[in-house]
């Protein structure tokens, strides 16, 4: 839109909440930053490319590369013996959806047996998430696996609720909007993922982000929260 302009006029801060104006009237004078496309700009004046305004704009727009996400995976299943192969699949899906090996480093993988009482499940999840197995993880995914070979039964519904309830008590600063966004994305890949009660929040004294989901729609779920996770992890370091 500025292709034929010779310069960029700098007005005082405008808008309804501003302290100045956003319209230049006849007879008023304001500084103009010249473009190099003009022959006059080549001889005198301050060019836009050399101005402090350009440097301020670049500072706001420029996004510093984030460090790698240090990923911990906790898989909840009632079929512990058959979980090994499915754990590899979960790891691959999460690594790929979060940006691959250039952006994600796997810290640890833990399997939690769900064939137990609620109190036993709560104790095992607490050990897996808050124990030494996840010491170096800044992002922890808790993934509830559905029953293998049963496409119409994605996960034991009661178990999913138990896991979400336990994790909800372990987390602080619950990110409910992010959890809803996660569920919507997962359901766009697999409608049955909408049955799961997702949770997002901080654990380990607010040093790690915890996300719970099912293995249904896991790829879309990881993709939609990727940018948010990078931002959250950067904020946790400050």
């Amino acid at each position: 839109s500025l292709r034929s302009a010779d310069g960029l006029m700098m007005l005082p801060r405008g808008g309804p909440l501003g302290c100045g104006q956003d319209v230049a009237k006849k007879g008023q004078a304001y500084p103009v930053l010249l473009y190099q496309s003009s022959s006059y700009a080549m001889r005198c004046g301050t060019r836009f490319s050399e101005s402090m305004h350009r440097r301020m704009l670049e500072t706001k727009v420029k996004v510093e590369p984030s460090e790698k996400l240090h990923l911990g995976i906790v898989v909840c299943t009632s079929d512990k013996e058959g979980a090994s192969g499915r754990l590899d699949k979960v790891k691959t899906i999460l690594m790929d959806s979060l940006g691959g090996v250039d952006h994600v480093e796997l810290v640890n993988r833990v399997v939690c047996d769900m064939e137990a009482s609620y109190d036993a499940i709560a104790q095992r999840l607490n050990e897996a998430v808050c124990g030494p197995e996840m010491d170096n993880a800044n992002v922890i995914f808790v993934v509830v696996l559905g029953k293998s070979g049963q496409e119409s039964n994605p996960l034991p519904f009661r178990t999913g609720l138990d896991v979400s309830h336990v994790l909800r008590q372990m987390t602080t600063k619950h990110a409910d909007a992010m959890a809803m966004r996660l569920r919507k994305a997962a359901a766009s890949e697999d409608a049955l993922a909408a049955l799961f009660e997702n949770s997002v929040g901080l654990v380990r004294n607010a040093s790690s982000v915890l996300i719970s989901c099912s293995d249904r729609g896991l790829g879309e779920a990881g993709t939609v929260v990727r940018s948010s996770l990078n931002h959250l992890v950067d904020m946790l370091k400050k």
Side-chain angles (χ1 to χ4, degrees), residues 164-223:
S164 295
H165 186 259
V166 170
L167 296 178
R168 186 81 178 178
Q169 297 179 72
M170 293 167 50
T171 54
T172 59
K173 298 186 182 299
H174 305 120
D176 293 331
M178 189 172 174
M180 290 296 294
R181 187 181 177 201
L182 185 97
R183 181 192 293 180
K184 183 178 179 180
S188 71
E189 180 180 327
D190 190 320
L192 293 174
L195 296 174
F196 190 80
E197 188 70 27
N198 301 92
S199 296
V200 181
L202 302 183
V203 291
R204 303 179 65 89
N205 295 320
S207 64
S208 302
V209 182
L210 181 135
I211 297 174
S212 70
C213 52
S214 76
D215 57 339
R216 292 282 183 149
L218 186 58
E220 282 298 317
T223 299

Side-chain angles (χ1 to χ4, degrees), residues 217-237:
L218 186 58
E220 282 298 317
T223 299
V224 79
V225 298
R226 174 182 168 184
S227 60
S228 299
L229 281 178
N230 288 325
H231 176 69
L232 278 173
V233 169
D234 286 341
M235 292 296 292
L236 290 179
K237 295 183 297 183

Side-chain angles (χ1 to χ4, degrees), residues 3-238:
R3 189 172 299 171
S4 60
D6 292 326
L8 181 66
M9 179 174 286
M10 309 304 296
L11 298 178
R13 179 183 173 205
L17 301 179
C19 58
Q21 62 186 73
D22 52 11
V23 176
K25 299 180 180 179
K26 185 177 180 180
Q28 296 176 334
Y30 298 105
V32 174
L33 300 176
L34 302 173
Y35 289 123
Q36 293 187 16
S37 58
S38 165
S39 58
Y40 176 77
M42 295 297 291
R43 298 193 303 270
C44 60
T46 302
R47 299 189 182 96
F48 175 65
S49 60
E50 300 169 350
S51 70
M52 60 174 287
H53 302 277
R54 176 63 179 269
R55 292 196 299 272
M56 291 170 63
L57 178 63
E58 288 177 342
T59 301
K60 291 181 179 179
V61 173
K62 184 179 179 181
V63 178
E64 295 182 0
S66 301
E67 294 183 8
K68 281 187 176 183
L69 298 177
H70 295 99
L71 176 66
I73 302 175
V74 179
V75 169
C76 302
T77 178
S78 56
D79 182 19
K80 195 170 182 179
E81 293 183 357
S84 178
R86 301 180 72 190
L87 182 57
D88 289 336
K89 183 178 180 181
V90 167
K91 182 207 75 170
T92 300
I93 292 174
L94 282 177
M95 293 284 289
D96 290 346
S97 63
L98 295 175
V101 294
D102 291 336
H103 299 91
V104 187
E105 179 181 338
L106 181 64
V107 172
N108 206 348
R109 299 181 297 177
V110 178
V111 177
C112 286
D113 187 3
M114 293 292 103
E115 289 293 341
S117 65
Y118 175 85
D119 290 339
I121 291 173
Q123 180 180 353
R124 184 64 186 109
L125 281 173
N126 186 71
E127 293 172 350
V129 172
C130 300
E133 293 168 309
M134 297 295 168
D135 275 351
N136 298 317
N138 54 25
V139 175
I140 302 172
F141 268 82
V142 178
V143 183
V144 178
L145 297 184
K147 293 181 179 180
S148 58
Q150 297 191 26
E151 292 298 320
S152 61
N153 188 8
L155 54 90
F157 187 67
R158 177 66 178 271
T159 300
L161 288 179
D162 286 346
V163 170
S164 295
H165 186 259
V166 170
L167 296 178
R168 186 81 178 178
Q169 297 179 72
M170 293 167 50
T171 54
T172 59
K173 298 186 182 299
H174 305 120
D176 293 331
M178 189 172 174
M180 290 296 294
R181 187 181 177 201
L182 185 97
R183 181 192 293 180
K184 183 178 179 180
S188 71
E189 180 180 327
D190 190 320
L192 293 174
L195 296 174
F196 190 80
E197 188 70 27
N198 301 92
S199 296
V200 181
L202 302 183
V203 291
R204 303 179 65 89
N205 295 320
S207 64
S208 302
V209 182
L210 181 135
I211 297 174
S212 70
C213 52
S214 76
D215 57 339
R216 292 282 183 149
L218 186 58
E220 282 298 317
T223 299
V224 79
V225 298
R226 174 182 168 184
S227 60
S228 299
L229 281 178
N230 288 325
H231 176 69
L232 278 173
V233 169
D234 286 341
M235 292 296 292
L236 290 179
K237 295 183 297 183
K238 298 179 180 180

